[in-house]
Amino acid sequence: MTLSDLDLIELKSGEILSVVGTFRGEECRARLTFVPNPAGRYIIKGRPYQKISFESYGALPGCSNLLELPGEEHYLVQYDRIRRVYRVRRGFGHLTSRERKRCDDLRALLARACGIKRSEHGLGGGSVLGARRYDSDFDWVIYRRLWNEVRSLVTSDPSFTPQFTFSLDYIRRKYLRITILKWRDVFSLFEERWKFVRFKKLSISFNFVDPSFFADDFLKGGKVGRGRHITETVIDADGCYVVPRIITVSSRRHEVQVFTWLWLYNGAFQNGDVVEVKGASFECGGKEYLLVEQYDHYIRRLSRASSP
């Protein structure tokens, strides 16, 4: 079975997780997203659920914990633990007629401007679960490596208005719990993100999945070594749009591939940014990386590149 990044899986014990990466083996990495709760505001398959935002939940039956950060608990999930898969590509099936019309307008625009086929879109989060609340955003997924083309459209077409799909208070409360970075450094990772927009009354966050980039080799067997602390310039920022995020930085002396699973750095950088990175050496598949994953690890942007 192949699971794509951002697909949702329901465990036999009831918890719902969002897949982190694209996998074709017998197991996957996934982030806890919804848990059964009688007082929950989300009704999924007739059952009330609570959405995980800042909380720590702990162990899941039959799953190994890979990352233990509040609101960012990642697990190794064997496929035989999965009861149901919610495919993001089918996320448009639960919309109202008005929402579907607006989404069709956006898909048509992206086809004309960027060459993205109708079948290369998906909606994640509450949309694919049939539980999207009236005030929720649309977690829009594009199954192509076309972030530069979409960015050019979004930043030039007046149909799009920049707008965060969450409040600054939410950013503060969520991410200051999982990183040692100060608020100004966390905000710097968000303030120039073009992926959050409003289009015809739809509040949208764009996400990208490369269906040919599989993360199975990174699930097990990697060797974590000593800590490293560097300051370098980003020379290949494309990797921050797909999972795992592999961002190449360089000085005159050498290149380093910074590796992270964290959503915090999704689309946060562009070529020419100067960044300070603290993490640990990580060897996997015969290649060396600088792993950023723990609370005291970080990628801090020191200066921004000129606008593209």
Side-chain angles (χ1 to χ4, degrees), residues 130-181:
R132 199 183 68 81
R133 293 171 55 82
Y134 73 93
D135 55 350
S136 299
D137 65 319
F138 288 77
D139 294 317
W140 198 286
V141 182
I142 295 174
Y143 293 89
R144 292 281 299 276
R145 296 177 63 92
L146 291 177
W147 40 81
N148 290 324
E149 290 79 357
V150 176
R151 175 177 183 160
S152 179
L153 172 66
V154 165
T155 56
S156 63
D157 191 306
S159 301
F160 298 94
T161 304
Q163 176 184 295
F164 278 135
T165 56
F166 35 71
S167 68
L168 293 182
D169 181 63
Y170 178 87
I171 298 174
R172 185 192 301 270
R173 293 175 63 199
K174 181 173 180 65
Y175 292 106
L176 292 185
R177 296 168 186 256
I178 70 169
T179 177
I180 199 172
L181 287 174

Side-chain angles (χ1 to χ4, degrees), residues 145-297:
R145 296 177 63 92
L146 291 177
W147 40 81
N148 290 324
E149 290 79 357
V150 176
R151 175 177 183 160
S152 179
L153 172 66
V154 165
T155 56
S156 63
D157 191 306
S159 301
F160 298 94
T161 304
Q163 176 184 295
F164 278 135
T165 56
F166 35 71
S167 68
L168 293 182
D169 181 63
Y170 178 87
I171 298 174
R172 185 192 301 270
R173 293 175 63 199
K174 181 173 180 65
Y175 292 106
L176 292 185
R177 296 168 186 256
I178 70 169
T179 177
I180 199 172
L181 287 174
K182 302 297 185 183
W183 166 240
R184 64 179 180 275
D185 299 314
V186 171
F187 181 70
S188 174
L189 298 173
F190 284 88
E191 61 182 334
E192 291 190 357
R193 289 198 195 181
W194 58 270
K195 304 183 320 94
F196 306 104
V197 296
R198 194 166 185 83
F199 174 83
K200 293 191 175 182
K201 298 185 178 181
L202 300 181
S203 185
I204 293 173
S205 60
F206 283 111
N207 301 275
F208 297 87
V209 173
D210 180 352
S212 66
F213 180 40
F214 295 99
D216 301 82
D217 291 343
F218 298 107
L219 277 180
K220 294 180 179 178
K223 180 180 179 181
V224 179
R226 62 183 179 84
R228 294 185 64 187
H229 190 181
I230 63 174
T231 299
E232 306 285 6
T233 301
V234 176
I235 62 170
D236 187 355
D238 283 354
C240 70
Y241 286 100
V242 293
V243 181
R245 309 186 198 288
I246 303 175
I247 306 158
T248 305
V249 302
S250 176
S251 67
R252 294 180 179 178
R253 295 171 296 168
H254 60 282
E255 293 183 3
V256 177
Q257 289 192 305
V258 179
F259 182 106
T260 185
W261 297 95
L262 295 175
W263 189 91
L264 173 61
Y265 302 108
N266 180 12
F269 305 106
Q270 60 182 335
N271 292 348
D273 286 351
V274 177
V275 294
E276 176 191 3
V277 186
K278 182 182 179 185
S281 298
F282 174 60
E283 183 178 338
C284 187
K287 295 183 179 181
E288 293 187 0
Y289 303 92
L290 177 50
L291 176 67
V292 174
E293 186 167 66
Q294 302 302 323
Y295 174 77
D296 60 347
H297 293 176

Side-chain angles (χ1 to χ4, degrees), residues 89-100:
R89 288 181 185 265
R90 302 173 185 169
F92 295 95
H94 298 285
L95 303 180
T96 66
S97 58
R98 181 175 296 179
E99 290 171 339
R100 188 174 296 110

Side-chain angles (χ1 to χ4, degrees), residues 3-11 15-23 28-34 51-52 60 71-77 82 84-86 88 124-126 128-129 139 141 207 209 243 245 261 263:
L3 291 175
S4 291
D5 186 35
L6 298 171
D7 280 346
L8 291 162
I9 54 175
E10 180 183 333
L11 303 184
E15 297 86 359
I16 295 175
L17 298 88
S18 177
V19 178
V20 182
T22 296
F23 303 91
C28 69
R29 184 180 182 118
R31 175 178 59 84
L32 185 62
T33 308
F34 293 92
K51 185 176 182 179
I52 296 294
L60 293 180
E72 281 286 341
E73 290 181 291
H74 293 196
Y75 299 84
L76 180 66
V77 181
I82 299 173
R84 184 179 291 113
V85 177
Y86 298 89
V88 169
V128 71
L129 295 171
D139 294 317
V141 182
N207 301 275
V209 173
V243 181
R245 309 186 198 288
W261 297 95
W263 189 91

